Amino acid sequence: MAVRLLSHELSDLCLGKPALRSLSITSTIAEVLEVLKTSDDNFVSVWSCDHKAKTSYGFESSADFSDDGDDDGDGDDDDDEDDECRCVGKVCMVDVICYLCKDENLVSPSVALKKPVSVLLPRIPGLVMHVEPSCSLLDAIDLMLQGAQNLVVPIKNKLSNKRKQHQKPSPTVTTHKGREFCWLTQEDVIRFLLSSIGLFSPIPAFSIDNLDIISHDILTIDYHSPASAATGAISRVLVDQTSVAVVDSEGTLIGEISPFTLACCDETVAAALKTLSSGDLMAYIDCGGPPEDLVRVVSARLKERNLNGMLEHFNMSMSSIGFPSASSSSDEESITTPLSPMPRSGRHSRSMSYSARMVRRSEAFVCHPKSSLVAVMIQAIAHRVNYVWVIEDDCSLTGIVTFSDMLKGFREHLGTIA
């Protein structure tokens, strides 16, 4: 059984994976927003035909794990074909929010949104990597432990001519000479390992404390501190696929400012991030949409700081989803009674079932040091997050367990049976 697990290739994990939605590196941020708001996916892949971009936007080719280049069996070398268009990164709503939080962009968001998407891509090599379908599971885990977040894999089956004729063209699904691509994440690998968890016995039953996979390198912010102080931390945890913990003065975990939650919002959250406290921001981005009293607070503070460009963009967005004019009352102190939250814009107003299933609250998901590895795995997968906070019995925050930490433990075990 263990040998069978090691024999798996990435093509086995790609079964049923949808083709990537994508945009060109020359697309504007406004075009990115349009795709994100009409998609159920939190991320959109960014592709480029400019070969100079390969070393500039977080892309590396996984040459060590490639086959002979003819992965479709047609006798041709597909390497030249692939070089014409490569995935150079990924972006989500959080990238846009953090970008708009910059002072110069708050002054004129309309100008900022006309910039190319390349300004959003982190200059960190290897976050997105191309691999072949024949890449082994062990090699894929190694790449992820080296920092890869997404492994871009060509979908083997070429579209038949008949299917091409009847298929409706999609402007955001990447096809290259009939080939489509999907990508695999740490969550996909963890899910796959969970399906064969018995092979790792007795390790899954051990506590995360005994396995020494609790990381103490965490980012926190005080509940009463300005949320704007966490902007840099949010950008970092987006790359690390973790979250910013919100704590009180005694270090007790109260909640979190999570990229997974922010990704389900729209770009106007940048205004709330710049004007509210961390505690108020958690309430603002919580499930169900921002309370009307906080919308008025944000509007008033934007006006007070003469951020007229963002104020206009914010009020227009709020009005479009049913809020009364947010600028009708600029006196924050007159707001004493919280009002009912209004519905969110974008994809959340399209599908209540999707919203109920995917839009996460700011309440953090936690475990204890004595929790078993398999329990933490199931907890993270059930909530669609890459991490679980670790707290003591008094609710004081002690660390975090991530999918990366889990993969390290599994990789060590797989190495002994390889």
Side-chain angles (χ1 to χ4, degrees), residues 4-225:
R4 182 179 178 182
L5 178 66
L6 292 175
S7 68
H8 280 290
E9 300 178 348
L10 289 193
S11 56
D12 299 323
L13 279 69
C14 291
L15 295 176
K17 296 284 288 185
L20 286 178
R21 300 191 67 176
S22 62
L23 287 173
S24 167
I25 194 77
T26 59
S27 301
T28 65
I29 298 176
E31 291 172 322
V32 172
L33 282 177
E34 183 179 356
V35 172
L36 289 172
K37 289 182 177 181
T38 57
S39 170
D40 285 348
D41 299 323
N42 286 338
F43 288 89
V44 59
S45 60
V46 180
W47 291 69
S48 177
C49 295
D50 180 4
H51 297 288
K52 294 180 181 179
K54 291 182 181 179
T55 58
S56 302
Y57 301 112
F59 165 78
E60 287 184 357
S61 178
S62 178
D64 292 340
F65 305 114
S66 299
D67 59 11
D68 61 2
D70 180 22
D71 55 60
D72 56 17
D74 61 0
D76 297 328
D77 189 342
D78 296 319
D79 290 341
D80 292 338
E81 179 179 306
D82 289 343
D83 285 343
E84 296 178 16
C85 190
R86 308 287 283 186
C87 182
V88 296
K90 61 176 182 177
V91 293
C92 69
M93 189 64 72
V94 187
D95 294 298
V96 180
I97 291 171
C98 291
Y99 172 72
L100 290 178
C101 279
K102 297 180 179 179
D103 292 339
E104 63 272 21
N105 297 333
L106 286 169
V107 172
S108 184
S110 60
V111 173
L113 294 178
K114 294 178 182 178
K115 297 291 185 179
V117 66
S118 58
V119 304
L120 300 180
L121 298 178
R123 268 52 174 179
I124 302 176
L127 291 181
V128 174
M129 301 186 70
H130 278 258
V131 296
E132 296 297 335
S134 57
C135 176
S136 71
L137 176 62
L138 281 180
D139 287 339
I141 293 176
D142 286 339
L143 289 174
M144 290 181 174
L145 293 179
Q146 292 167 16
Q149 290 184 358
N150 297 73
L151 301 180
V152 181
V153 188
I155 298 176
K156 278 193 170 183
N157 295 330
K158 283 197 170 186
L159 299 178
S160 65
N161 290 331
K162 185 175 181 181
R163 181 184 170 191
K164 290 179 186 176
Q165 294 173 359
H166 292 86
Q167 189 179 53
K168 294 182 180 180
S170 174
T172 58
V173 171
T174 296
T175 58
H176 186 65
K177 292 186 178 180
R179 303 180 75 194
E180 294 177 340
F181 297 81
C182 67
W183 62 22
L184 295 174
T185 65
Q186 290 182 359
E187 180 184 350
D188 294 316
V189 175
I190 290 292
R191 283 180 178 273
F192 186 78
L193 294 177
L194 184 61
S195 67
S196 303
I197 198 67
L199 299 179
F200 298 93
S201 182
I203 293 176
F206 291 166
S207 71
I208 55 175
D209 188 21
N210 288 339
L211 292 173
D212 195 25
I213 60 172
I214 301 174
S215 172
H216 302 287
D217 181 18
I218 55 179
L219 295 178
T220 64
I221 189 169
D222 185 80
Y223 181 86
H224 298 289
S225 296

Side-chain angles (χ1 to χ4, degrees), residues 147-356:
Q149 290 184 358
N150 297 73
L151 301 180
V152 181
V153 188
I155 298 176
K156 278 193 170 183
N157 295 330
K158 283 197 170 186
L159 299 178
S160 65
N161 290 331
K162 185 175 181 181
R163 181 184 170 191
K164 290 179 186 176
Q165 294 173 359
H166 292 86
Q167 189 179 53
K168 294 182 180 180
S170 174
T172 58
V173 171
T174 296
T175 58
H176 186 65
K177 292 186 178 180
R179 303 180 75 194
E180 294 177 340
F181 297 81
C182 67
W183 62 22
L184 295 174
T185 65
Q186 290 182 359
E187 180 184 350
D188 294 316
V189 175
I190 290 292
R191 283 180 178 273
F192 186 78
L193 294 177
L194 184 61
S195 67
S196 303
I197 198 67
L199 299 179
F200 298 93
S201 182
I203 293 176
F206 291 166
S207 71
I208 55 175
D209 188 21
N210 288 339
L211 292 173
D212 195 25
I213 60 172
I214 301 174
S215 172
H216 302 287
D217 181 18
I218 55 179
L219 295 178
T220 64
I221 189 169
D222 185 80
Y223 181 86
H224 298 289
S225 296
S228 58
T231 304
I234 292 171
S235 296
R236 175 181 161 183
V237 298
L238 176 61
V239 172
D240 294 341
Q241 301 182 97
T242 56
S243 183
V244 179
V246 178
V247 299
D248 64 13
S249 58
E250 297 180 352
T252 300
L253 181 64
I254 298 177
E256 65 177 354
I257 301 175
S258 167
F260 294 89
T261 303
L262 290 172
C264 295
C265 303
D266 66 21
E267 77 280 6
T268 60
V269 169
L273 181 57
K274 200 67 178 180
T275 57
L276 298 178
S277 69
S278 297
D280 284 341
L281 178 64
M282 286 197 302
Y284 187 94
I285 65 177
D286 211 347
C287 185
E292 188 174 341
D293 62 325
L294 288 180
V295 171
R296 292 186 181 276
V297 169
V298 172
S299 181
R301 291 179 180 172
L302 289 174
K303 184 176 181 180
E304 180 182 291
R305 300 177 189 182
N306 294 318
L307 297 173
N308 296 323
M310 179 54 80
L311 176 62
E312 181 181 356
H313 187 78
F314 180 78
N315 286 340
M316 185 180 302
S317 177
M318 292 299 104
S319 297
S320 69
I321 59 173
F323 278 101
S325 177
S327 60
S328 61
S329 173
S330 61
D331 185 1
E332 297 178 28
E333 301 302 324
S334 65
I335 303 171
T336 57
T337 305
L339 302 177
S340 300
M342 299 295 285
R344 289 183 187 265
S345 60
R347 61 178 180 265
H348 308 295
S349 61
R350 294 192 300 109
S351 172
M352 289 303 294
S353 61
Y354 176 81
S355 176

